[in-house]
Amino acid sequence: WDLVIAVAWTPDGDFLSFSAGNWIHVYQQDGWKPLASLQIGALTHSLAFSPDGLWLAAASRDGVLRLWRAADLLAGHESEHALTAL
């Protein structure tokens, strides 16, 4: 078990994302069905869904801001868009 560091709900409250250790997990609130588990290799201290619910952003200790299209994660796809801090 890893310590949960950050938690984020989608704006409609249907999905929950949380970071624990080097992982980010996404669950459907109805029945707590796991939808995605992403091993990113860095402690993630901040998570947020965009106000329109289209994106999940994660800021990690390695200085990278990672973005995922929420629809991709909810469908089980894990295509990541990474931005390195300057």
Side-chain angles (χ1 to χ4, degrees):
W1 292 90
D2 288 313
L3 178 66
V4 172
I5 302 295
V7 175
W9 286 95
T10 54
D12 60 11
D14 288 342
F15 302 95
L16 171 70
S17 178
F18 65 92
S19 66
N22 294 327
W23 290 82
I24 295 173
H25 304 280
V26 181
Y27 279 76
Q28 183 175 4
Q29 183 273 337
D30 185 25
W32 296 111
K33 177 184 172 188
L35 299 175
S37 290
L38 312 163
Q39 185 176 23
I40 60 170
L43 184 68
T44 299
H45 50 80
S46 298
L47 287 174
F49 281 96
S50 61
D52 58 10
L54 295 178
W55 294 92
L56 173 63
S60 303
R61 297 281 284 177
D62 60 0
V64 176
L65 172 65
R66 293 173 174 85
L67 300 170
W68 295 269
R69 285 191 33 196
D72 290 345
L73 288 177
L74 302 180
H77 306 293
E78 302 174 3
S79 58
E80 172 187 312
H81 306 275
L83 307 170
T84 303
L86 299 176

